[in-house]
Amino acid sequence: MTAKDEIQNLARLLRESDHTLALTGAGISTASGIPDFRSRGSGRWEKVDPAQVCSVQAFRRDPAAFWNYNLEWWLACLRAEPNPAHHVLARLQQEGLLLGVITQNIDGLHVRAGSRTWEVHGHLRTCRCLGCGRQHPFDFVSEQFQAGKNPPRCPCGDLLRPDVVLFGDMLGEDFQAATQVLAGCQLLVVVGSSLQVYPVAALPRFARQLVIVNRDPTPWDDKAVLVLRDDIVRVFEELAATLGLS
Ligand SMILES: NC(=O)c1ccc[n+]([C@@H]2O[C@H](COP(=O)([O-])OP(=O)(O)OC[C@H]3O[C@@H](n4cnc5c(N)ncnc54)[C@H](O)[C@@H]3O)[C@@H](O)[C@H]2O)c1
Ligand SMILES: [Zn+2]
């Protein structure tokens, strides 16, 4: 099958399904300048194990070191802009071809592109106090950090943590909501995920048909009706052209 046939096949599957969702991972945001964890050569995983530095345990052991390590890439996420793949997914929803996006990303780019989004690993819009539970805008943390106050604290004096799901955390209500919206899913389009982080990696089992758009192989490839090992932005720009979306 040529690349063009594959895109036409994807367009047909989208038109035929009336319960379609996308499941996205870090790979959809690499074109926005945010490195993923597992791409060969550039993934963050190759430098450091996120389960060590991005975990509840790391936060408890040394909150200042936790913020020191993580804040830089989180601020890069906040500076990034949605790329054409985020925009095409939002457009597919407007056209009634997609119900929304379940994402593992914390960069908020699907929300900013206008998609209905279930952010199963949380987001960087807010942080919360471990003592009084109050939520603050994320800027409240970064401003303290930049003024040399590390670890950042709530006015009540207690420590602040990000509203992202850390290794060792339970998944939040968006994950529950995502499993509900996946019930009856006819088509799930996985975009830019190595499908190695559980329990999200188990979500494809809810879908009757699976399409995978990812440069590297995933453990679900043999179950998929279509696998596009191509650049994500290229795939979605060509898909938009094939569907006549401008
Ligand atoms: N942008 C973010 O918010 C961000 C960034 C890094 C990590 N994370 C977190 O880390 C975890 C990582 O797991 P994951 O499965 O999402 O990502 P991952 O890093 O495990 O896998 C990303 C996949 O995307 C593919 N990819 C990267 N750029 C691509 C491109 N331009 N075209 C085609 N394929 C491309 C790679 O081949 C890789 O298999 C997630 O839980 C996520 O919360 C989030
Ligand atoms: Zn507080």
Side-chain angles (χ1 to χ4, degrees):
M1 207 189 289
T2 66
K4 199 164 177 221
D5 290 338
E6 288 177 339
I7 304 282
Q8 271 169 359
N9 209 352
L10 175 55
R12 180 182 55 77
L13 289 166
L14 285 165
R15 285 202 199 96
E16 284 172 2
S17 161
D18 57 13
H19 191 138
T20 303
L21 288 152
L23 172 63
T24 69
I28 196 169
S29 296
T30 53
S32 294
I34 306 169
D36 63 12
F37 278 169
R38 293 180 189 79
S39 273
R40 291 179 208 127
S42 58
R44 288 180 71 85
W45 188 277
E46 295 200 325
K47 296 178 196 138
V48 69
D49 179 355
Q52 296 298 317
V53 291
C54 217
S55 66
V56 174
Q57 224 186 358
F59 181 74
R60 288 210 190 105
R61 194 172 48 232
D62 188 345
F66 170 91
W67 284 109
N68 253 335
Y69 178 75
N70 289 297
L71 194 63
E72 190 192 329
W73 81 275
W74 287 342
L75 291 177
C77 285
L78 289 170
R79 281 192 300 268
E81 294 292 331
N83 67 51
H86 297 102
H87 290 303
V88 173
L89 285 174
R91 193 65 211 284
L92 291 175
Q93 184 188 327
Q94 284 171 7
E95 294 295 316
L97 292 167
L98 189 73
L99 290 174
V101 180
I102 300 166
T103 189
Q104 302 172 77
N105 296 343
I106 57 171
D107 55 36
L109 295 180
H110 288 298
V111 173
R112 287 178 51 203
S115 284
R116 181 180 183 199
T117 312
W118 293 271
E119 294 171 304
V120 299
H121 288 168
H123 57 79
L124 295 168
R125 291 183 291 278
T126 53
C127 52
R128 64 179 186 273
C129 173
L130 289 187
C132 70
R134 197 172 141 200
Q135 269 190 326
H136 299 276
F138 199 81
D139 286 351
F140 189 73
V141 160
S142 43
E143 280 161 14
Q144 287 189 50
F145 185 90
Q146 274 147 5
K149 292 183 197 151
N150 189 22
R153 290 184 183 273
C154 179
C156 82
D158 223 316
L159 290 170
L160 290 167
R161 60 154 288 168
D163 278 326
V164 302
V165 176
L166 303 174
F167 286 90
D169 269 329
M170 304 265 285
L171 289 183
E173 55 190 39
D174 270 29
F175 183 76
Q176 302 309 327
T179 58
Q180 279 163 17
V181 75
L182 273 167
C185 176
Q186 214 166 319
L187 179 65
L188 182 67
V189 184
V190 176
V191 187
S193 175
S194 62
L195 293 174
Q196 285 180 32
V197 180
Y198 280 86
V200 173
L203 293 181
R205 77 189 145 93
F206 285 101
R208 214 169 309 150
Q209 284 187 314
L210 187 62
V211 170
I212 295 180
V213 185
N214 203 62
R215 211 161 33 206
D216 292 311
T218 83
W220 281 92
D221 288 2
D222 358 333
K223 301 274 188 321
V225 291
L226 182 63
V227 179
L228 289 100
R229 291 228 180 102
D230 207 335
D231 178 67
I232 290 165
V233 168
R234 210 172 75 82
V235 167
F236 280 90
E237 281 179 335
E238 284 185 23
L239 177 68
T242 304
L243 288 167
L245 313 176
S246 53

